[in-house]
Amino acid sequence: MIRVAVIGYGYWGPNIVRNFRLTPGVRVTTICDSDTSVHQRIRRDYPDIEVVNEWKDVMRSPSIDAVAVVTPVTTHYDIAREALSNGKHVFVEKPFTRTVSQAAKLIDLAAANRLQIMVDHTFLFTGAVRKIKQLVEQKVLGDIYYYDSTRVNLGMFQHDVNVVWDLAPHDFSIMLYLLGETPESVTASGSSHVNSHEDVAYITVNFPHKTLLAHFNVNWLSPVKVRTTLIGGKRKMLVWDDLSQDEKIKIYDKGVNVKSREGIYDLLVAYRSGDMHAPKVDRREALTLECEHFVECIASGKSPLNDGEAGYEVVRMLQACDKSLRENGKPVRL
Amino acid sequence: MIRVAVIGYGYWGPNIVRNFRLTPGVRVTTICDSDTSVHQRIRRDYPDIEVVNEWKDVMRSPSIDAVAVVTPVTTHYDIAREALSNGKHVFVEKPFTRTVSQAAKLIDLAAANRLQIMVDHTFLFTGAVRKIKQLVEQKVLGDIYYYDSTRVNLGMFQHDVNVVWDLAPHDFSIMLYLLGETPESVTASGSSHVNSHEDVAYITVNFPHKTLLAHFNVNWLSPVKVRTTLIGGKRKMLVWDDLSQDEKIKIYDKGVNVKSREGIYDLLVAYRSGDMHAPKVDRREALTLECEHFVECIASGKSPLNDGEAGYEVVRMLQACDKSLRENGKPVRL
Amino acid sequence: MIRVAVIGYGYWGPNIVRNFRLTPGVRVTTICDSDTSVHQRIRRDYPDIEVVNEWKDVMRSPSIDAVAVVTPVTTHYDIAREALSNGKHVFVEKPFTRTVSQAAKLIDLAAANRLQIMVDHTFLFTGAVRKIKQLVEQKVLGDIYYYDSTRVNLGMFQHDVNVVWDLAPHDFSIMLYLLGETPESVTASGSSHVNSHEDVAYITVNFPHKTLLAHFNVNWLSPVKVRTTLIGGKRKMLVWDDLSQDEKIKIYDKGVNVKSREGIYDLLVAYRSGDMHAPKVDRREALTLECEHFVECIASGKSPLNDGEAGYEVVRMLQACDKSLRENGKPVRL
Amino acid sequence: MIRVAVIGYGYWGPNIVRNFRLTPGVRVTTICDSDTSVHQRIRRDYPDIEVVNEWKDVMRSPSIDAVAVVTPVTTHYDIAREALSNGKHVFVEKPFTRTVSQAAKLIDLAAANRLQIMVDHTFLFTGAVRKIKQLVEQKVLGDIYYYDSTRVNLGMFQHDVNVVWDLAPHDFSIMLYLLGETPESVTASGSSHVNSHEDVAYITVNFPHKTLLAHFNVNWLSPVKVRTTLIGGKRKMLVWDDLSQDEKIKIYDKGVNVKSREGIYDLLVAYRSGDMHAPKVDRREALTLECEHFVECIASGKSPLNDGEAGYEVVRMLQACDKSLRENGKPVRL
């Protein structure tokens, strides 16, 4: 039985608690939030869970095996370091840390103490992403030409970071997982209208393999909500519309057939347009599967697919975006 | 009566001929195409129009007042220069020219000879763009925060240029017309998969006024066709979906209300979400209105809204995109 | 403080409990379900609520003021009669009863005992229906020409009734409320594929005013989920798509203008096509408002808009549909 | 070479002429229209075609082999009879005739003279209908449960008939072709708002096999244009959206699995929800294929799939609808 303390009970914390409670092999023993106004609600909903004020109080407790860090990103490093130092596995909200050096230190600390780090890249556990991963691995799409993501809506969810740090961690973690390629450089352009944080941004990611290109459109000031990713492959192309109820993924038998014409340097380009297929996508809640994966990894000692390294890679991209934003869209090598 | 010769009868030429024939005050006297295989079709459809092989043959004819240049972009400069030198007004297919210096020379030549240049930025004459222009001018949207355009589909229409030169002239001309602002710099990233020309590209445009940002997504390898532009303003926001039959423009009473809290540097951010309104959009064919505008401008001597300067500005942006593409997305000042 | 007992804790009962608990002036004191397997869940979620087996046990209790009947329709009459006979107000799940005579008896019983009946026509309290009611009352649509509803999906929710009794009560109650007209006759056609109950049915409703026509398409075997109602009026027309997140109601400035031509019996028919408007719709949970309305009506003694009479009218239509179904679609007078 | 005279050059006639001109083995020699104002347009577009006033003038001409009747339905019988009596094949616009007895007489006359009748049920030649026919024949859908068609828009196209005669011939001809079943009875309800003709109507069609049910929603007063047909089968279900550009047909692997529980009369009903598939649909113009089929049938002597019998069946349903409309929705046996 893994005994978990959850630090932070704001917007996302209640989902973490609810899911860990449903996970076999886990017991949520403690919830910590410095905002005492939520304590009453916790006590009403979960009379059996201890509620505390200060996260430091839970760190020395021998009756806690793992800590879920569901607080603002600026606090992740301190809390996770303390937890790892005290022999506790950590489950950290995305983005992992505020800097790559913080991420690197936590990875080292976990390795030294033989502890697990899981970064809450929840989307990797959705039926949609798991299905696309399968399609990529089975070479259904063929070589990937581009990854083009749009994640826009009205309203910000976090006030201490810009739209890139708020929305792009989802897409960066998904893209890295799906493509399995390490980016080479990043360009980001954005603008601010409400406060000093960028609320509109466009990010382009280049790879060593020049035929692959990724792009991310993130926006807190869009009149419509869009959650769409296009993935163009040599053999097939795919549209993932996460807002669609029944047809989240559509696979198009479309593409280009190129033939060199004999004896000359000219090319015959023919466009291929065939059937469309929308596979059934598993609807189980992603966070439930992620919590189960956390337990399995602690039991087996194997690294989660969303381990500290995965979190590190995302933070590295975020930091490069910030640098490019400051330099008016100049490319930043990773 | 303005007597027009149309040079080039490929994909777009027949539309130019059909529309000029319907325009009061115009007579299409001559069609020129070096591909003699289309001559028979022209003669069948229009027994009253002269058909010639060589565009140079029409330049000296005193019975021609204006020349429509509907040929590949690399030939625009030579044909238009010859026409202007021979005292003929020119209607030039977009993009205007291959280089800004060509564009500048044609503008000077037209001015010296008191002739009109119209660049075929057809979209400016669509009901949708005219309606949006009206909304911008009437300050319905308020200060513009961003202009975000997506123009993607499967298949290229031109083999001698990249996707930027093929698709972005539409959006650049529309954006420049609607916003009435001069861009400061451009970044463009792209990749090539079918031949040496980029078939996927992302373009960000910065303005002196830092709160305004424009972005363009152009792609020949998309499994789905998208023609959507989001315009975010301080007061209202707008989605223009050019593929929608009946609701091309949706105006959202959405936005952000910001108040400084007394005595502190903190901000209260509130999101406003109200009604949506889809105004009726004039469905008359844009090219018809554009041809009429050409006649009016020749008659009145006033500059067309899509004059040589408008064409120049678009070419300047296209050249800057090419430079940024070659330099891996580095910002290029205009 | 109105003390409520909720009878039935299956699919819908938990929502009733949750909402009554949030309603000021109400205390849910007792939940009754004959299926003891749900008792544990109730006790865990609501340690302060009494749980009982037999609904008859709660009827004599002097500490209960109102009973919510959330059981299968065949049991509604017995439970509600017992409650009313014991001086308790009743909130009854839709459809009100299995027969009109049952409905009439309950209405009489409530009147004799000065008690309230509310039938759970939840949809009347949605933002969408309240907005449409307002549009109808303000004559925005003008005279209503037709009411055309489609409510189809895959899967049945009730096993003891046909698709008409399952899905049409929603639409009948909404239509009667919105139009305020009493139907004259009903025709219904259907077929059965899974068991003896019709799973596909089409219902047409005629009114004394012959220009008004209503139609209902209900289907448990549709591959796609549809919740769409078209309302055509003389002045404007409306589409209500209940599955749309942000644009549930679209009002079209479309219609027909008819002029008699002078001196002849001919008509000039012109179609009018103008702007579309999607008003903001209140998103508060309908059931919450309905529970509040229940409390207000008990306090004030005024009839709920979804009172026993409203429930009676719906049952009258359902019974007529069954008769028409048995007679192969013959019209049945109401 | 089949020499065709086209009678009627209103809305649809030009399409017939254009397509017959493109059909190998056909020459359009004559166009007839009593409205002399269109003669000039015909002469301009087709200088090689003879133009006449009176359809009777073409009937005796020995240089005409076939007559296309593209006039209002009330005139079909007289013109077609005269053509058949004079040894000419006929291509008749839908609906075939105004009465079944007219249809029967024409069929007999054609048989006696060994001539072909083709009724212009154009939709049978669309890629979508041909693909669905193939799916039905290959038993992909399994036994058909229902056929549910919606064809609504704003505006009428014919002033001498009601909405049923205008729109339903499309759907009746498609349904009869696809299902290959003979209907048993019809109920129709409608109402009139603009003139004396019904502009809104709902039609239910019953079959000897009671599990099959068809329904048709036709409406000239809808604010939105809909062209959607749902076909529910035992094995799979299908949605045909004729307004969709790229995904006209979607086949859903959805349905119901029923098992009798051992020893009891109860049923276990399970809903199956799997992948969706949108096959590529041939985009060739339906009318082109239909014209080619006309030529083939004349050459081979085989009956067209849209022969006089097919036209007769549609007229029989239309007449039954009119009878049911007059009798307030009473079922009418066919």
Side-chain angles (χ1 to χ4, degrees), chain B residues 7-225:
Chain B
I7 317 289
Y9 201 76
Y11 167 68
W12 193 242
N15 292 322
I16 300 290
V17 171
R18 177 171 55 78
N19 275 282
F20 268 128
R21 276 172 70 90
L22 295 171
T23 308
V26 170
R27 202 170 75 230
V28 178
T29 61
T30 311
I31 298 172
C32 170
D33 202 302
S34 56
D35 175 0
T36 53
S37 69
V38 302
H39 288 198
Q40 193 177 4
R41 179 154 65 94
I42 301 172
R43 288 205 181 88
R44 191 197 63 203
D45 291 349
Y46 304 115
D48 56 321
I49 298 183
E50 180 193 27
V51 187
V52 301
N53 256 348
E54 292 293 328
W55 61 264
K56 294 194 177 171
D57 295 349
V58 306
M59 291 306 170
R60 300 282 157 84
S61 164
S63 62
I64 287 169
D65 305 304
V67 169
V69 185
V70 200
T71 55
V73 62
T74 45
T75 67
H76 287 185
Y77 175 67
D78 286 345
I79 301 174
R81 189 193 49 191
E82 196 75 9
L84 292 167
S85 302
N86 283 283
K88 296 169 192 349
H89 305 285
V90 294
F91 176 102
V92 185
E93 202 39 52
K94 62 92 204 163
F96 185 23
T97 55
R98 201 66 173 98
T99 67
V100 288
S101 72
Q102 289 176 346
K105 285 177 195 162
L106 294 180
I107 290 168
D108 290 346
L109 190 56
N113 295 353
R114 297 177 180 262
L115 293 165
Q116 294 282 15
I117 295 173
M118 179 177 270
V119 181
D120 184 17
H121 296 157
T122 324
F123 264 102
L124 306 194
F125 297 86
T126 57
V129 172
R130 286 182 291 130
K131 172 60 76 180
I132 300 172
K133 179 69 177 174
Q134 196 184 337
L135 295 168
V136 172
E137 287 186 340
Q138 294 171 349
K139 308 279 185 202
V140 171
L141 305 180
D143 295 342
I144 303 301
Y145 284 169
Y146 62 85
Y147 183 99
D148 184 340
S149 155
T150 304
R151 185 177 297 270
V152 307
N153 53 254
L154 185 70
M156 66 175 74
F157 300 111
Q158 298 183 24
H159 293 261
D160 54 341
V161 294
N162 65 17
V163 70
V164 177
W165 281 75
D166 181 31
L167 298 181
H170 294 302
D171 300 301
F172 288 170
S173 62
I174 297 166
M175 182 268 284
L176 289 168
Y177 174 63
L178 290 176
L179 303 191
E181 300 275 347
T182 306
E184 190 177 76
S185 66
V186 161
T187 68
S189 297
S191 60
S192 317
H193 306 92
V194 174
N195 57 25
S196 62
H197 296 304
E198 285 84 2
D199 40 39
V200 177
Y202 305 97
I203 302 150
T204 307
V205 177
N206 292 286
F207 292 82
H209 201 16
K210 291 302 176 198
T211 55
L212 176 58
L213 190 66
H215 187 265
F216 303 86
N217 180 338
V218 288
N219 188 332
W220 277 333
L221 295 180
S222 166
V224 286
K225 185 175 181 175

Side-chain angles (χ1 to χ4, degrees), chain C residues 159-227:
Chain C
H159 293 261
D160 54 342
V161 295
N162 64 17
V163 70
V164 176
W165 283 74
D166 180 31
L167 298 181
H170 293 303
D171 299 301
F172 289 170
S173 62
I174 297 166
M175 184 268 285
L176 290 166
Y177 175 62
L178 290 178
L179 303 191
E181 301 275 346
T182 307
E184 189 178 76
S185 68
V186 161
T187 68
S189 296
S191 60
S192 317
H193 305 93
V194 174
N195 57 25
S196 63
H197 296 304
E198 286 84 3
D199 40 39
V200 178
Y202 304 98
I203 302 150
T204 308
V205 177
N206 292 286
F207 293 82
H209 200 17
K210 291 302 175 198
T211 54
L212 177 58
L213 189 67
H215 188 265
F216 303 86
N217 180 339
V218 288
N219 188 333
W220 277 334
L221 296 180
S222 167
V224 285
K225 185 174 182 176
V226 182
R227 296 282 183 270

